[in-house]
Amino acid sequence: MTKLIDVDLAKCYRLLNHGPTVLVTSAFSGKQNVMAAAWAMPLDFDPPKMLVVIDKSTYSRQLIDASGEFILNIPCRAQAQQVLKVGSSSGEQADKFAESGLQAVPGQSMAAPRVAGCIGYLECKVIPEPHNQQKYDLFIGEVIAAQADADVYSEGRWHFEGHDEKRSLHYISGGAFFSIGEQFQVE
Amino acid sequence: MTKLIDVDLAKCYRLLNHGPTVLVTSAFSGKQNVMAAAWAMPLDFDPPKMLVVIDKSTYSRQLIDASGEFILNIPCRAQAQQVLKVGSSSGEQADKFAESGLQAVPGQSMAAPRVAGCIGYLECKVIPEPHNQQKYDLFIGEVIAAQADADVYSEGRWHFEGHDEKRSLHYISGGAFFSIGEQFQVE
């Protein structure tokens, strides 16, 4: 069983600072969905804000537009196949959780589900910016809850040594990923 | 001598898709500067657009506001120490190229310089969005020229095997970085 720790909101940007691919989850009126997004990053420290690009053609967009909420789930190497699956199909006609084998578990602060087995979670309320949303498919979310897997995140830092299957994923294209590599320090 | 290849603009998002930390270069009226930014990512495919967060307090911000241009340079592991240096000092009083040991070389399409020895370059014209720039320090740039190091980028993909010193950098905090890791394929 994964042990999650709360992440200090003022430092939760560190979950995304190194550029991992995320899974975006959303829910509205009894429907839920999950999609993959390589285009997500921090925008501000405190209050913490995140950016994510959510295409108009996606079912997730409908749910997020309706609910004003989403969760950025940070998947890991063990989940790469499922991440690819939910990045290449639509949830309008099918249940992408069932299709992909990913498991939905309750979010901490909103109706959107979390994806079980991810290494980090950023639960976000949309800060409405209609021009960005319409013109660029760009969403700003304020983070209201953040947690991470205690095996690979503690004291405000990722540390993946000894946990290769929990390394973050960084999508390339065509089903190819990088996993995050060696950590090193400079002065 | 690094051999650079032109990157097809419609696929240049792939230079940033895996989330590397970048160096932002800028120039105006005979002045130039370089800063580090972990918060940069693609926004759109074609015409290609990139996002980057440029704080109001930085000297680079003055140069970018005045010139409407910037270059996202993708540094590599061999440059980590210099990346940290230009991420932790201001260019208003000092020449950060001279201070850090990074070398400025001419850009292809604009006055902003490139940083020699980087593995990729995205030369961007600011798409003016005053609200985003003022409220969020968020800049949208349309990419007008893109090149990458032929040793580690070809046929629209990064491939770092055998070139560990040219692996992309992914900043953590406090002088700690990840280099990008193993590439793998799922179906």
Side-chain angles (χ1 to χ4, degrees), chain B residues 45-168:
Chain B
F45 296 103
D46 191 14
K49 299 183 193 74
M50 302 291 149
L51 291 173
V52 61
V53 177
I54 309 280
D55 194 89
K56 277 175 201 67
S57 67
T58 63
Y59 184 52
S60 296
R61 176 67 173 265
Q62 297 179 36
L63 299 179
I64 293 168
D65 279 340
S67 66
E69 298 176 342
F70 59 85
I71 299 178
L72 303 180
N73 305 259
I74 304 172
C76 62
R77 177 150 185 177
Q79 298 170 305
Q81 198 159 29
Q82 290 98 317
V83 171
L84 185 67
K85 269 195 185 148
V86 299
S88 50
S89 68
S90 167
E92 188 144 20
Q93 306 301 333
D95 177 346
K96 284 169 80 176
F97 283 101
E99 253 187 15
S100 65
L102 292 173
Q103 189 193 344
V105 293
Q108 202 173 22
S109 63
M110 54 185 58
R114 292 180 172 187
V115 176
C118 284
I119 53 174
Y121 301 99
L122 295 158
E123 302 195 0
C124 300
K125 293 257 186 202
V126 173
I127 296 177
E129 287 286 359
H131 173 71
N132 286 334
Q133 295 163 211
Q134 276 307 309
K135 184 160 183 186
Y136 299 113
D137 294 334
L138 178 63
F139 283 76
I140 300 174
E142 179 174 339
V143 183
I144 58 167
Q147 290 194 308
D149 182 333
D151 281 350
V152 291
Y153 196 87
S154 62
E155 297 176 2
R157 293 270 189 104
W158 291 114
H159 44 81
F160 296 109
E161 300 77 16
H163 296 280
D164 284 347
E165 285 302 299
K166 291 190 172 181
R167 287 183 184 271
S168 59

Side-chain angles (χ1 to χ4, degrees), chain A residues 17-18 39-41 43 77 129 131-132 136 157 170-171 173-175 177-179 181-186, chain B residues 17-18 39-41 77 81 129 131-132 136 157 170-171 173-175 177-179 181-186:
Chain A
N17 209 62
H18 70 299
W39 299 356
M41 71 174 186
L43 173 64
R77 178 151 185 175
E129 288 286 359
H131 173 71
N132 286 336
Y136 300 112
R157 292 271 187 103
H170 301 252
Y171 192 57
S173 69
F177 293 85
F178 293 112
S179 61
E182 188 191 349
Q183 183 175 331
F184 64 97
Q185 181 81 30
V186 299
Chain B
N17 209 61
H18 71 299
W39 298 357
M41 73 173 183
R77 177 150 185 177
Q81 198 159 29
E129 287 286 359
H131 173 71
N132 286 334
Y136 299 113
R157 293 270 189 104
H170 300 252
Y171 192 58
S173 69
F177 293 85
F178 293 112
S179 61
E182 188 191 349
Q183 183 176 331
F184 64 97
Q185 182 81 32
V186 299

